[in-house]
Amino acid sequence: MEAVVGLLLMLLGVSHGVETYCDGRQNGTQCYGALGGTVVLQLMDNASEISRYQCNGTFRINNLSWTDGGEYKLVIFGSDGQVSEQRTLQLAIQGVETYCDGRQDGAQCYGALGGTVVLQLMDNASGIFRYTWSRTTTKIVSGRKNMIMFNEIENRSFFTPSDGTFRINNPSWTDGGEYKLEIFDSDGKISEQRTLQLTIQAPVSSVLLVSECLSQGEMRVSCSSEGGDSPQYSWTLDGRTLTDAELFSGNTETNSITLKQKVSGRLVCSVRNQVSNVSEEKTISTCGFIHINCTLTNGTHISKWVFAANNTLCQPTTTPTSTVGKTTGITVSINPCTKTHPPIKI
């Protein structure tokens, strides 16, 4: 029976971040996707028999955002227009989770914007008489032993006294700053205090490599990233760091490099910051240039890179001469890319 499909999943983009897969062929499936990444949803076994689709039954959503989360419904109609099958799936978008040990005074911690940050504030709070954790003059958490007395951001955070960790979900820029932990004894006096600095960064979501050939056969390659605060770049060729002999200009810590004429292979650009690391690869070949180095018969010396397909310089020549009496004279010119040779008489 001929069928058509109605499918309300229409956000498409370009991303090379984290990719997840979910089998959504069962009704009510729970699926997960990474913020800024890609999710591949298996919606059916095969859509080739459905007139409007020619595919393997999967649907890919790139560059996921929070608004992509929610309930989706697949509806398949028969040729008579009646619903022959329908099912739903729930898609949840998850951010990057980072961990930081804040048990040392002055610890520097990082959290991903929109993700989750887990801060280790102490070993165990169950034996502590009273404690508070504050940012500047604002008290965030206070408790006694295993009892949480106050949590300013309880709608998106959770403190676990048994292991001393504090989890903040969906951190924003305003969550960054200096925090102070104060531990009090039974007399109400401070027995210990320490600070940590929390910095919130937007994670790198995707990387794009673009290459172009220059006039002398060099190749300029640019690495652009989407999202990401304070990005740091690194390059490899065939799994190893690029050498100075392969770089015409730039270095492996910049977002744009120029490669020498003979360089080819699998080029990878990695972009990272304190909360993410994303890479993109591209197989590159030379721009088709060759290096010529010769002296022409008129004495002109040529040494340069030229496009091989259009090269007319430094070509070997053979010039026949006329027959005089019983002697045949042939002048042989050796390849002018090396040297000339005096005529040989036969």
Side-chain angles (χ1 to χ4, degrees):
M1 179 178 67
E2 184 185 17
V4 294
V5 63
L7 186 59
L8 303 179
L9 296 169
M10 296 303 294
L11 178 64
L12 294 175
V14 177
S15 175
H16 297 87
V18 177
E19 181 170 304
T20 56
Y21 168 84
C22 182
D23 190 340
R25 289 174 291 183
Q26 296 296 317
N27 187 43
T29 299
Q30 176 67 65
C31 297
Y32 297 91
L35 182 67
T38 298
V39 62
V40 179
L41 304 171
Q42 182 81 45
L43 301 180
M44 57 194 79
D45 293 323
N46 192 329
S48 61
E49 296 181 358
I50 300 176
S51 61
R52 286 178 54 192
Y53 291 87
Q54 297 293 322
C55 59
N56 61 1
T58 62
F59 189 81
R60 177 186 298 266
I61 307 177
N62 299 314
N63 196 19
L64 290 163
S65 66
W66 295 114
T67 57
D68 293 315
E71 184 177 85
Y72 290 82
K73 179 183 290 187
L74 173 71
V75 182
I76 298 176
F77 301 89
S79 57
D80 57 0
Q82 299 298 310
V83 175
S84 61
E85 185 180 354
Q86 64 180 359
R87 54 178 176 269
T88 63
L89 67 81
Q90 189 74 30
L91 178 61
I93 307 302
Q94 297 178 320
V96 177
E97 181 171 302
T98 58
Y99 168 84
C100 182
D101 190 342
R103 290 173 292 181
Q104 295 296 317
D105 186 41
Q108 175 65 67
C109 299
Y110 294 89
L113 182 69
T116 299
V117 58
V118 179
L119 303 170
Q120 184 84 47
L121 301 182
M122 58 192 82
D123 294 323
N124 191 326
S126 59
I128 298 176
F129 181 75
R130 186 167 67 88
Y131 50 88
T132 62
W133 194 58
S134 308
R135 185 182 69 227
T136 57
T137 58
T138 303
K139 184 183 295 184
I140 305 299
V141 174
S142 65
R144 292 177 180 270
K145 298 185 178 182
N146 288 322
M147 182 182 298
I148 306 301
M149 301 171 59
F150 174 79
N151 185 347
E152 172 69 17
I153 52 174
E154 62 180 353
N155 62 321
R156 57 185 183 90
S157 68
F158 186 76
F159 181 69
T160 307
S162 61
D163 63 12
T165 60
F166 187 71
R167 176 183 296 267
I168 304 175
N169 297 315
N170 195 21
S172 64
W173 304 116
T174 57
D175 290 314
E178 184 177 85
Y179 290 80
K180 179 185 290 187
L181 174 68
E182 294 179 314
I183 297 176
F184 300 86
D185 59 23
S186 57
D187 296 328
K189 296 181 179 180
I190 296 176
S191 60
E192 186 179 351
Q193 64 178 5
R194 54 179 174 268
T195 63
L196 68 80
Q197 186 74 32
L198 177 61
T199 300
I200 306 301
Q201 288 188 337
V204 179
S205 59
S206 65
V207 177
L208 178 64
L209 282 182
V210 177
S211 60
E212 61 174 329
C213 290
L214 304 182
S215 60
Q216 295 300 308
E218 311 97 329
M219 179 179 291
R220 180 187 293 131
V221 188
S222 300
C223 181
S224 61
S225 58
E226 188 171 314
D229 293 317
S230 303
Q232 301 175 49
Y233 299 87
S234 62
W235 299 81
T236 61
L237 180 69
D238 294 330
R240 57 172 178 77
T241 302
L242 283 163
T243 65
D244 291 339
E246 294 163 329
L247 284 169
F248 185 84
S249 65
N251 61 67
T252 56
E253 296 181 353
T254 60
N255 68 331
S256 179
I257 58 174
T258 301
L259 302 173
K260 292 185 177 180
Q261 290 87 346
K262 293 183 179 181
V263 177
S264 63
R266 185 174 63 89
L267 187 67
V268 177
C269 174
S270 298
V271 186
R272 69 185 186 280
N273 59 12
Q274 296 292 338
V275 298
S276 61
N277 189 344
V278 181
S279 63
E280 176 69 351
E281 67 177 62
K282 182 176 184 178
T283 300
I284 60 171
S285 57
T286 64
C287 294
F289 278 63
I290 58 173
H291 187 261
I292 58 174
N293 185 17
C294 65
T295 301
L296 300 181
T297 55
N298 63 3
T300 302
H301 180 72
I302 298 178
S303 179
K304 61 189 296 187
W305 286 90
V306 297
F307 189 53
N310 297 336
N311 179 39
T312 59
L313 301 173
C314 296
Q315 298 295 323
T317 61
T318 301
T319 305
T321 61
S322 60
T323 300
V324 179
K326 296 181 180 180
T327 303
T328 301
I330 301 177
T331 300
V332 179
S333 297
I334 303 301
N335 186 348
C337 290
T338 54
K339 60 181 180 178
T340 59
H341 191 283
I344 299 175
K345 296 294 185 179
I346 301 176

